mmCIF file of all heavy atoms in Angstrom:
data_model
loop_
_atom_site.group_PDB
_atom_site.id
_atom_site.type_symbol
_atom_site.label_atom_id
_atom_site.label_comp_id
_atom_site.label_asym_id
_atom_site.label_seq_id
_atom_site.Cartn_x
_atom_site.Cartn_y
_atom_site.Cartn_z
ATOM 1 N N THR A 451 -1.740 -5.260 -6.279
ATOM 2 C CA THR A 451 -0.663 -5.665 -5.381
ATOM 3 C C THR A 451 -0.095 -6.991 -5.860
ATOM 4 O O THR A 451 -0.675 -7.651 -6.718
ATOM 5 C CB THR A 451 -1.144 -5.724 -3.925
ATOM 6 O OG1 THR A 451 0.000 -5.878 -3.077
ATOM 7 C CG2 THR A 451 -2.106 -6.872 -3.665
ATOM 8 N N VAL A 497 -1.247 1.415 -0.580
ATOM 9 C CA VAL A 497 -2.498 1.448 0.183
ATOM 10 C C VAL A 497 -2.448 2.475 1.320
ATOM 11 O O VAL A 497 -3.457 3.117 1.617
ATOM 12 C CB VAL A 497 -2.869 0.036 0.692
ATOM 13 C CG1 VAL A 497 -1.907 -0.444 1.759
ATOM 14 C CG2 VAL A 497 -4.295 0.001 1.194
ATOM 15 N N LEU A 572 4.155 3.430 12.559
ATOM 16 C CA LEU A 572 5.009 2.841 11.537
ATOM 17 C C LEU A 572 4.388 1.545 11.049
ATOM 18 O O LEU A 572 3.842 0.776 11.843
ATOM 19 C CB LEU A 572 6.408 2.555 12.105
ATOM 20 C CG LEU A 572 7.232 3.778 12.517
ATOM 21 C CD1 LEU A 572 8.534 3.344 13.184
ATOM 22 C CD2 LEU A 572 7.544 4.682 11.316
ATOM 23 N N ALA A 573 4.456 1.311 9.736
ATOM 24 C CA ALA A 573 3.878 0.084 9.184
ATOM 25 C C ALA A 573 4.500 -0.226 7.838
ATOM 26 O O ALA A 573 5.274 0.566 7.298
ATOM 27 C CB ALA A 573 2.367 0.235 9.016
ATOM 28 N N GLY A 574 4.139 -1.390 7.314
ATOM 29 C CA GLY A 574 4.518 -1.746 5.952
ATOM 30 C C GLY A 574 5.586 -2.801 5.865
ATOM 31 O O GLY A 574 5.740 -3.458 4.844
ATOM 32 N N GLU A 575 6.363 -2.960 6.921
ATOM 33 C CA GLU A 575 7.466 -3.921 6.921
ATOM 34 C C GLU A 575 7.890 -4.099 8.380
ATOM 35 O O GLU A 575 7.529 -3.286 9.238
ATOM 36 C CB GLU A 575 8.635 -3.368 6.100
ATOM 37 C CG GLU A 575 9.047 -1.998 6.614
ATOM 38 C CD GLU A 575 10.250 -1.389 5.920
ATOM 39 O OE1 GLU A 575 11.225 -2.102 5.686
ATOM 40 O OE2 GLU A 575 10.200 -0.178 5.661
ATOM 41 N N PRO A 576 8.653 -5.150 8.656
ATOM 42 C CA PRO A 576 9.063 -5.363 10.050
ATOM 43 C C PRO A 576 9.878 -4.194 10.607
ATOM 44 O O PRO A 576 10.738 -3.641 9.921
ATOM 45 C CB PRO A 576 9.914 -6.632 9.959
ATOM 46 C CG PRO A 576 9.464 -7.320 8.714
ATOM 47 C CD PRO A 576 9.090 -6.220 7.762
ATOM 48 N N ASP A 595 3.714 0.559 16.085
ATOM 49 C CA ASP A 595 3.891 -0.321 14.937
ATOM 50 C C ASP A 595 2.516 -0.923 14.627
ATOM 51 O O ASP A 595 1.816 -1.362 15.542
ATOM 52 C CB ASP A 595 4.889 -1.421 15.354
ATOM 53 C CG ASP A 595 5.320 -2.310 14.194
ATOM 54 O OD1 ASP A 595 4.823 -2.122 13.076
ATOM 55 O OD2 ASP A 595 6.161 -3.205 14.433
ATOM 56 N N ASN A 596 2.120 -0.898 13.383
ATOM 57 C CA ASN A 596 0.835 -1.510 13.050
ATOM 58 C C ASN A 596 0.990 -2.339 11.784
ATOM 59 O O ASN A 596 1.785 -2.024 10.908
ATOM 60 C CB ASN A 596 -0.283 -0.472 12.955
ATOM 61 C CG ASN A 596 0.010 0.648 11.997
ATOM 62 O OD1 ASN A 596 -0.595 0.764 10.947
ATOM 63 N ND2 ASN A 596 0.974 1.509 12.324
ATOM 64 N N TYR A 597 0.230 -3.408 11.732
ATOM 65 C CA TYR A 597 0.393 -4.407 10.681
ATOM 66 C C TYR A 597 -0.891 -4.546 9.880
ATOM 67 O O TYR A 597 -1.976 -4.710 10.444
ATOM 68 C CB TYR A 597 0.749 -5.747 11.335
ATOM 69 C CG TYR A 597 0.442 -6.946 10.479
ATOM 70 C CD1 TYR A 597 1.330 -7.374 9.500
ATOM 71 C CD2 TYR A 597 -0.742 -7.648 10.648
ATOM 72 C CE1 TYR A 597 1.043 -8.472 8.708
ATOM 73 C CE2 TYR A 597 -1.038 -8.755 9.862
ATOM 74 C CZ TYR A 597 -0.144 -9.151 8.896
ATOM 75 O OH TYR A 597 -0.427 -10.231 8.117
ATOM 76 N N TRP A 598 -0.792 -4.447 8.563
ATOM 77 C CA TRP A 598 -1.946 -4.662 7.696
ATOM 78 C C TRP A 598 -1.477 -4.880 6.279
ATOM 79 O O TRP A 598 -0.285 -5.059 6.044
ATOM 80 C CB TRP A 598 -2.972 -3.549 7.815
ATOM 81 C CG TRP A 598 -2.479 -2.119 7.819
ATOM 82 C CD1 TRP A 598 -1.686 -1.535 8.773
ATOM 83 C CD2 TRP A 598 -2.773 -1.085 6.865
ATOM 84 N NE1 TRP A 598 -1.474 -0.210 8.464
ATOM 85 C CE2 TRP A 598 -2.127 0.088 7.307
ATOM 86 C CE3 TRP A 598 -3.523 -1.037 5.706
ATOM 87 C CZ2 TRP A 598 -2.207 1.299 6.602
ATOM 88 C CZ3 TRP A 598 -3.616 0.170 5.009
ATOM 89 C CH2 TRP A 598 -2.962 1.316 5.461
ATOM 90 N N GLN A 599 -2.405 -4.880 5.359
ATOM 91 C CA GLN A 599 -2.081 -5.238 3.977
ATOM 92 C C GLN A 599 -2.948 -4.427 3.017
ATOM 93 O O GLN A 599 -4.011 -3.931 3.414
ATOM 94 C CB GLN A 599 -2.414 -6.715 3.739
ATOM 95 C CG GLN A 599 -1.889 -7.647 4.774
ATOM 96 C CD GLN A 599 -2.295 -9.077 4.502
ATOM 97 O OE1 GLN A 599 -3.471 -9.386 4.407
ATOM 98 N NE2 GLN A 599 -1.318 -9.963 4.377
ATOM 99 N N THR A 600 -2.528 -4.381 1.774
ATOM 100 C CA THR A 600 -3.344 -3.752 0.731
ATOM 101 C C THR A 600 -4.757 -4.331 0.791
ATOM 102 O O THR A 600 -5.747 -3.610 0.650
ATOM 103 C CB THR A 600 -2.738 -4.046 -0.659
ATOM 104 O OG1 THR A 600 -1.368 -3.634 -0.635
ATOM 105 C CG2 THR A 600 -3.479 -3.328 -1.765
ATOM 106 N N GLU A 601 -4.826 -5.631 1.019
ATOM 107 C CA GLU A 601 -6.115 -6.322 1.015
ATOM 108 C C GLU A 601 -7.069 -5.800 2.088
ATOM 109 O O GLU A 601 -8.278 -5.739 1.873
ATOM 110 C CB GLU A 601 -5.900 -7.834 1.233
ATOM 111 C CG GLU A 601 -5.308 -8.565 0.036
ATOM 112 C CD GLU A 601 -3.786 -8.513 -0.029
ATOM 113 O OE1 GLU A 601 -3.180 -7.669 0.679
ATOM 114 O OE2 GLU A 601 -3.198 -9.303 -0.782
ATOM 115 N N THR A 623 3.673 -6.020 16.716
ATOM 116 C CA THR A 623 2.823 -5.059 16.003
ATOM 117 C C THR A 623 1.502 -4.868 16.757
ATOM 118 O O THR A 623 0.536 -4.364 16.196
ATOM 119 C CB THR A 623 2.548 -5.529 14.566
ATOM 120 O OG1 THR A 623 2.004 -6.832 14.647
ATOM 121 C CG2 THR A 623 3.806 -5.583 13.745
ATOM 122 N N THR A 689 -3.497 -14.345 5.697
ATOM 123 C CA THR A 689 -2.705 -13.125 5.435
ATOM 124 C C THR A 689 -1.420 -13.468 4.701
ATOM 125 O O THR A 689 -0.730 -12.574 4.224
ATOM 126 C CB THR A 689 -2.296 -12.449 6.756
ATOM 127 O OG1 THR A 689 -1.459 -13.363 7.482
ATOM 128 C CG2 THR A 689 -3.500 -12.052 7.593
ATOM 129 N N ASP A 691 1.192 -14.390 6.231
ATOM 130 C CA ASP A 691 2.297 -13.994 7.111
ATOM 131 C C ASP A 691 2.410 -14.993 8.251
ATOM 132 O O ASP A 691 1.401 -15.511 8.732
ATOM 133 C CB ASP A 691 2.053 -12.595 7.696
ATOM 134 C CG ASP A 691 2.440 -11.498 6.736
ATOM 135 O OD1 ASP A 691 3.630 -11.427 6.369
ATOM 136 O OD2 ASP A 691 1.559 -10.712 6.345
ATOM 137 N N ILE A 703 5.034 -10.396 14.047
ATOM 138 C CA ILE A 703 4.976 -10.853 12.652
ATOM 139 C C ILE A 703 6.368 -11.309 12.219
ATOM 140 O O ILE A 703 7.355 -10.590 12.419
ATOM 141 C CB ILE A 703 4.452 -9.719 11.729
ATOM 142 C CG1 ILE A 703 3.007 -9.367 12.089
ATOM 143 C CG2 ILE A 703 4.571 -10.092 10.253
ATOM 144 C CD1 ILE A 703 1.986 -10.472 11.835
ATOM 145 N N ARG A 706 6.673 -13.393 5.438
ATOM 146 C CA ARG A 706 5.679 -13.988 4.548
ATOM 147 C C ARG A 706 5.852 -15.495 4.416
ATOM 148 O O ARG A 706 6.955 -16.020 4.459
ATOM 149 C CB ARG A 706 5.787 -13.358 3.153
ATOM 150 C CG ARG A 706 5.525 -11.877 3.086
ATOM 151 C CD ARG A 706 4.086 -11.511 3.076
ATOM 152 N NE ARG A 706 3.324 -12.106 1.998
ATOM 153 C CZ ARG A 706 2.104 -11.706 1.657
ATOM 154 N NH1 ARG A 706 1.522 -10.701 2.299
ATOM 155 N NH2 ARG A 706 1.444 -12.294 0.692
ATOM 156 N N ASN A 712 9.515 -7.885 0.589
ATOM 157 C CA ASN A 712 9.209 -6.537 1.028
ATOM 158 C C ASN A 712 10.492 -5.715 1.005
ATOM 159 O O ASN A 712 11.348 -5.861 1.870
ATOM 160 C CB ASN A 712 8.635 -6.630 2.449
ATOM 161 C CG ASN A 712 7.924 -5.364 2.853
ATOM 162 O OD1 ASN A 712 8.423 -4.270 2.598
ATOM 163 N ND2 ASN A 712 6.783 -5.514 3.484
ATOM 164 N N ARG A 717 5.946 -3.851 -1.561
ATOM 165 C CA ARG A 717 5.635 -5.267 -1.704
ATOM 166 C C ARG A 717 5.839 -5.710 -3.148
ATOM 167 O O ARG A 717 5.263 -5.135 -4.057
ATOM 168 C CB ARG A 717 4.184 -5.465 -1.275
ATOM 169 C CG ARG A 717 3.653 -6.835 -1.478
ATOM 170 C CD ARG A 717 2.341 -6.932 -0.749
ATOM 171 N NE ARG A 717 1.533 -8.014 -1.232
ATOM 172 C CZ ARG A 717 0.299 -8.249 -0.810
ATOM 173 N NH1 ARG A 717 -0.239 -7.453 0.095
ATOM 174 N NH2 ARG A 717 -0.387 -9.242 -1.281
HETATM 175 P P1 AMP B 917 1.224 -4.232 1.530
HETATM 176 O O1 AMP B 917 0.069 -4.961 0.989
HETATM 177 O O2 AMP B 917 2.083 -3.626 0.479
HETATM 178 O O3 AMP B 917 0.827 -3.259 2.582
HETATM 179 O O4 AMP B 917 2.142 -5.318 2.241
HETATM 180 C C1 AMP B 917 1.615 -6.115 3.248
HETATM 181 C C2 AMP B 917 2.672 -6.978 3.843
HETATM 182 O O5 AMP B 917 3.688 -6.161 4.430
HETATM 183 C C3 AMP B 917 2.173 -7.841 4.973
HETATM 184 O O6 AMP B 917 1.559 -9.021 4.517
HETATM 185 C C4 AMP B 917 3.437 -8.080 5.771
HETATM 186 O O7 AMP B 917 4.204 -9.090 5.194
HETATM 187 C C5 AMP B 917 4.174 -6.756 5.630
HETATM 188 N N1 AMP B 917 3.887 -5.850 6.761
HETATM 189 C C6 AMP B 917 3.025 -4.817 6.776
HETATM 190 N N2 AMP B 917 3.068 -4.169 7.955
HETATM 191 C C7 AMP B 917 3.974 -4.812 8.719
HETATM 192 C C8 AMP B 917 4.480 -4.617 10.055
HETATM 193 N N3 AMP B 917 4.057 -3.620 10.821
HETATM 194 N N4 AMP B 917 5.400 -5.505 10.510
HETATM 195 C C9 AMP B 917 5.827 -6.523 9.733
HETATM 196 N N5 AMP B 917 5.416 -6.743 8.474
HETATM 197 C C10 AMP B 917 4.498 -5.893 7.955
#
Side-chain angles (χ1 to χ4, degrees):
T451 191
V497 69
L572 295 175
E575 55 177 316
D595 188 357
N596 55 110
Y597 158 83
W598 45 295
Q599 311 178 302
T600 306
E601 287 85 344
T623 55
T689 63
D691 278 299
I703 296 295
R706 298 280 303 194
N712 196 317
R717 174 168 160 185

